[in-house]
Amino acid sequence: MREDALEREIEEILGLRERREKDSELYKIANEVFDRTTKETLAYFHRRGKIKELYGVISTGKEANVFAGVDDRGERIAVKIYRTYTTEFRRIWEYLAADPRIGYLPKDMRKLVFVWARREFKNLQRAIKYAVRVPEPRAFRNNVLIMEFIGGELPAPRLKDVEKDLEKTDFEELYDFAMGVIERLWKRGDMVHGDLSEYNILIHEGPVVIDWSQATVKRNRVSLELLRRDLANVSNYFRKKGVEVEDPEEKFRELVEG
Ligand code: ATP
Ligand code: MN
């Protein structure tokens, strides 16, 4: 695609052609992180109606930025765009190298990130199969992942953001939810999230588990370590909130042996 045509399409996606000002946060972040591949990929989705517009920034991180948008049918979407240049290269490489589902590992960082994005998409599809509430995955290509937007007018808050307003019984319910997720994933899905915490649970008409980039399968040689980590994090958090939690090591043995 010609450079100027591509730029025009990106401006359309960002709503710059009409109303949005060039000093908005959206524009700044886009300018900083949309490289050529990202622009081409967004244009690809735009032409197919999967992304009509991106209208806001939900989150900026080391590894990815998450945008709020709409598709051609007017449905809201969350678009996770992984940085093609990241200081997390080493960590990503190690996680992928341990995953038995991944055959060939590209040496090139950009292509490695594509594999990382595809893996998160697959993880979301797999988690849904085992009745874990997650943002429904819609599409992925290169470093761009489109999924269901979780939230109302605004993006849903994380458990960490709303904890001050919760009561003991809420924490008890959420603890049961989190343990149920760990158990179902492991026993039925042969899978582990690997980063389950108050930061990766959104609250919107109940809890929704996000951020599946590091999730993997039981066959992975590090899966036990990840399972143990999830159990420890969840137990520590809810213990501090006054929940009578099960002993995570005992739960670990039960899951692994049972
Ligand atoms: P971080 O390093 O901040 O954890 P990350 O790269 O791991 O970021 P995620 O955790 O997947 O990425 O997403 C970052 C943030 O974007 C989340 O904490 C959440 O607030 C928001 N978010 C992600 N997915 C959605 C979604 N489907 N709907 C609404 N908000 C979302
Ligand atoms: Mn996260």
Side-chain angles (χ1 to χ4, degrees):
M1 199 172 187
R2 285 207 20 221
E3 190 75 35
D4 54 343
L6 182 59
E7 288 307 324
R8 245 180 294 125
E9 191 153 12
I10 293 300
E11 287 188 1
E12 207 173 292
I13 295 170
L14 295 175
L16 286 171
R17 298 188 69 72
E18 302 106 38
R19 40 189 205 289
R20 233 159 264 130
E21 286 119 55
K22 292 212 169 186
D23 58 358
S24 70
E25 196 202 359
L26 175 66
Y27 184 75
K28 270 190 227 148
I29 303 286
N31 224 13
E32 191 189 304
V33 298
F34 290 4
D35 59 4
R36 175 92 196 188
T37 313
T38 304
K39 287 178 182 169
E40 301 257 16
T41 309
L42 291 172
Y44 171 91
F45 280 131
H46 189 237
R47 288 193 295 275
R48 279 159 185 76
K50 301 261 187 209
I51 297 177
K52 178 159 188 253
E53 194 174 286
L54 298 178
Y55 61 80
V57 180
I58 305 179
S59 157
T60 56
K62 277 201 300 262
E63 189 181 297
N65 296 293
V66 182
F67 296 85
V70 283
D71 66 14
D72 259 10
R73 295 176 303 172
E75 249 193 87
R76 284 197 298 168
I77 49 176
V79 182
K80 187 167 179 176
I81 304 181
Y82 299 81
R83 292 173 188 270
T84 50
Y85 175 83
T86 164
T87 52
E88 303 290 286
F89 181 80
R90 184 83 220 155
R91 191 178 67 85
I92 290 178
W93 194 88
E94 276 164 10
Y95 269 106
L96 290 176
D99 194 317
R101 293 173 296 174
I102 311 288
Y104 168 72
L105 265 195
K107 303 275 179 297
D108 164 339
M109 158 145 49
R110 219 168 44 99
K111 297 216 175 98
L112 193 80
V113 170
F114 298 171
V115 176
W116 187 244
R118 186 183 68 212
R119 193 176 75 142
E120 178 157 16
F121 183 86
K122 301 274 178 203
N123 286 336
L124 285 164
Q125 285 183 320
R126 188 170 174 136
I128 278 190
K129 278 216 315 241
Y130 301 101
V132 176
R133 193 159 167 236
V134 305
E136 194 188 297
R138 297 276 154 79
F140 78 93
R141 184 180 173 86
N142 300 334
N143 59 324
V144 178
L145 165 61
I146 306 175
M147 60 189 144
E148 175 191 1
F149 174 87
I150 306 295
E153 191 67 41
L154 297 171
R158 304 168 305 174
L159 171 54
K160 183 69 197 169
D161 304 318
V162 295
E163 60 182 16
K164 56 191 179 309
D165 305 320
L166 300 181
E167 291 171 10
K168 184 154 180 240
T169 52
D170 299 318
F171 285 116
E172 283 165 351
E173 274 175 32
L174 286 164
Y175 171 70
D176 289 342
F177 165 82
M179 293 303 278
V181 165
I182 295 175
E183 186 158 342
R184 270 200 312 288
L185 282 177
W186 186 261
K187 282 193 177 160
R188 293 174 46 201
D190 290 329
M191 189 183 185
V192 56
H193 181 283
D195 194 16
L196 194 62
S197 76
E198 62 277 23
Y199 296 94
N200 285 330
I201 296 177
L202 299 185
I203 307 293
H204 177 70
E205 295 163 0
V208 182
V209 182
I210 60 162
D211 201 354
W212 290 79
S213 63
Q214 64 301 301
T216 190
V217 291
K218 213 186 248 184
R219 282 184 294 133
N220 188 326
R221 61 182 158 77
V222 301
S223 68
L224 289 174
E225 202 183 302
L226 295 177
L227 175 65
R228 188 176 250 142
R229 186 200 292 175
D230 280 354
L231 286 166
N233 288 341
V234 166
S235 308
N236 287 337
Y237 176 74
F238 287 99
R239 190 187 309 108
K240 284 191 215 136
K241 301 298 175 194
V243 179
E244 270 179 52
V245 301
E246 288 175 85
D247 175 11
E249 273 305 308
E250 217 163 273
K251 193 74 200 171
F252 177 76
R253 280 193 297 275
E254 183 193 312
L255 287 176
V256 170
E257 286 155 19

